Amino acid sequence: MSHLLGFVLGSSCLLYIGSPSGFGLGSNWLLYIGVPLIIGIWAQIRVKSAFGRWSKVRASGNITGAECAREILQAAQIRDVEVVETNDFLGDHYDPTKKQLHLSSNVYNTPSVAALGIAAHESGHAIQHARAYAPLKARMAIVPVTMIASQMLPFIIIGGLFFGITGLITLGIWCYLILLVFQLITLPVEFDASRRAKIILREMGIIQPGEEAAGVNRVLNAAALTYIAAFIAALGNLLWLMSIRDRR
Ligand SMILES: [Zn+2]
């Protein structure tokens, strides 16, 4: 889980507001900004509804997300990762720098199908880290530069589009390129964590085949969709900024 999609959609809105009038609503706009925005909102709705539905279904294993994560880490012989509770809704993530597995309260304290799926997915990231999974290492390596790019981006868009500073638009293009590479590397990391989660939950008997397993799939597949949507949105934003620069 991450708030990556929200960030990208926010910058899409900025791009929309700041787009120069005249060609602001042409066919490129629809393709680069409009369609990705709709896909992103749809993905966001799907992940919330999948979580909402399956967080009400109690898993027969009757352990909370926190207990599930600790059992998985123990079985994987990972002893240096701490499982902690966070208040941030759907803010579940694994922090490799602190070796902390953050689970939102709804996941941490709940024995639901959704909670176990998410707890197992985040544990999957901890396992990737412990096993030195290459895409995770690559992702960690570009986190600092991605943070800088994403913090600068809103100001760059505002300066570039609202005040018509072409140099800032070029800088914005570079920022989106960095974000795009980051999101591209994120895809295998996320898919692999969910793949591991599904196998582990089944093998450890935490989730039963049938309805429970289907619920886990729904939640994790919806989450995967948000990463694909974030990638598409960032690609659209990049192409849109490039087309704006070309027309100046
Ligand atoms: Zn993840």
Side-chain angles (χ1 to χ4, degrees):
M1 303 284 147
S2 95
H3 298 301
L4 209 67
L5 181 59
F7 170 77
V8 178
L9 293 185
S11 63
S12 284
C13 292
L14 256 188
L15 277 184
Y16 165 63
I17 298 165
S19 294
S21 53
F23 67 99
L25 290 168
S27 57
N28 276 356
W29 180 85
L30 196 65
L31 186 64
Y32 296 157
I33 304 288
V35 172
L37 200 59
I38 290 164
I39 295 174
I41 292 167
W42 173 70
Q44 198 86 296
I45 291 169
R46 273 206 51 180
V47 79
K48 289 219 168 100
S49 83
F51 183 80
R53 166 144 198 248
W54 293 97
S55 62
K56 290 187 196 85
V57 180
R58 199 184 184 96
S60 53
N62 210 25
I63 54 169
T64 64
E67 287 164 341
C68 170
R70 291 192 182 108
E71 280 187 19
I72 291 172
L73 294 176
Q74 198 181 13
Q77 300 187 331
I78 297 170
R79 293 182 186 87
D80 54 352
V81 170
E82 197 187 352
V83 180
V84 294
E85 184 177 356
T86 167
N87 288 323
D88 199 4
F89 178 68
L90 290 181
D92 308 80
H93 68 280
Y94 171 67
D95 181 348
T97 58
K98 292 186 188 140
K99 292 201 170 186
Q100 281 181 337
L101 212 152
H102 296 257
L103 297 178
S104 59
S105 302
N106 278 335
V107 170
Y108 192 95
N109 300 305
T110 313
S112 71
V113 169
L116 299 183
I118 291 171
H121 169 95
E122 301 308 337
S123 307
H125 286 310
I127 294 170
Q128 290 173 338
H129 192 203
R131 309 282 185 268
Y133 176 66
L136 182 72
K137 281 169 77 180
R139 188 179 189 265
M140 285 167 68
I142 66 163
V143 162
V145 62
T146 307
M147 297 267 279
I148 295 169
S150 60
Q151 279 160 8
M152 282 178 6
L153 206 49
F155 303 102
I156 290 171
I157 294 174
I158 290 169
L161 294 182
F162 290 81
F163 299 106
I165 306 167
T166 311
L168 280 184
I169 293 180
T170 305
L171 196 59
I173 289 169
W174 282 105
C175 286
Y176 271 119
L177 262 177
I178 293 166
L179 278 183
L180 206 61
V181 170
F182 178 78
Q183 283 169 356
L184 194 62
I185 299 174
T186 294
L187 294 178
V189 175
E190 294 303 328
F191 295 161
D192 179 78
S194 286
R195 186 188 62 83
R196 287 175 199 263
K198 290 169 191 173
I199 295 171
I200 291 166
L201 287 173
R202 191 183 60 227
E203 285 183 353
M204 290 180 66
I206 297 172
I207 282 289
Q208 297 308 310
E211 199 209 6
E212 292 185 8
V216 165
N217 285 349
R218 288 278 166 79
V219 171
L220 294 184
N221 293 349
L225 209 64
T226 65
Y227 290 100
I228 297 171
F231 176 76
I232 292 172
L235 179 64
N237 287 356
L238 171 69
L239 294 174
W240 179 241
L241 262 193
M242 287 169 79
S243 74
I244 288 175
R245 192 190 55 174
D246 289 349
R247 291 188 209 199
R248 275 177 192 262

